[in-house]
């Protein structure tokens, strides 16, 4: 998994832990948002999304529905 850093390129997904999400991430089923723009991303949340996708869950509102990349806000 990688993370998209605003205008930058991808990096290891673990670097997204603690960063601010710039997209809504709603695994389906159940379809309830797990993260909204502005939420801090935790290791547990990112692992939940990835294991869900591996098990057949879809994340239709993510830029990358496989959640191999996650869009985060540029902070600073």
């Amino acid at each position: 998994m990688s993370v998209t850093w605003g205008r930058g390129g991808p990096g290891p997904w673990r670097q997204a832990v603690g960063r601010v999400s710039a997209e809504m991430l709603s695994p389906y089923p159940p379809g309830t948002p797990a993260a909204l723009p502005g939420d801090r991303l935790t290791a547990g949340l990112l692992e939940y999304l990835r294991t869900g996708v591996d098990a057949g869950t879809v994340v239709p509102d993510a830029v990358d529905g496989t959640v191999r990349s996650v869009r985060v806000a540029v902070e600073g």
Side-chain angles (χ1 to χ4, degrees), residues 16-73:
V17 174
R19 298 295 304 266
V20 176
S21 177
E23 64 181 326
M24 184 164 60
L25 301 167
S26 304
Y28 181 83
T32 305
L36 297 171
D39 288 349
R40 290 259 174 219
L41 298 170
T42 65
L45 171 70
L46 293 169
E47 290 169 4
Y48 162 74
L49 292 170
R50 278 300 309 138
T51 58
V53 168
D54 289 345
T57 299
V58 295
V59 186
D61 49 6
V63 171
D64 176 2
T66 67
V67 194
R68 292 192 186 285
S69 62
V70 177
R71 193 170 298 274
V72 296

Side-chain angles (χ1 to χ4, degrees), residues 1-20:
M1 182 188 299
S2 61
V3 56
T4 301
W5 301 101
R7 295 178 222 173
W13 75 270
R14 290 193 191 320
Q15 290 182 9
V17 174
R19 298 295 304 266
V20 176

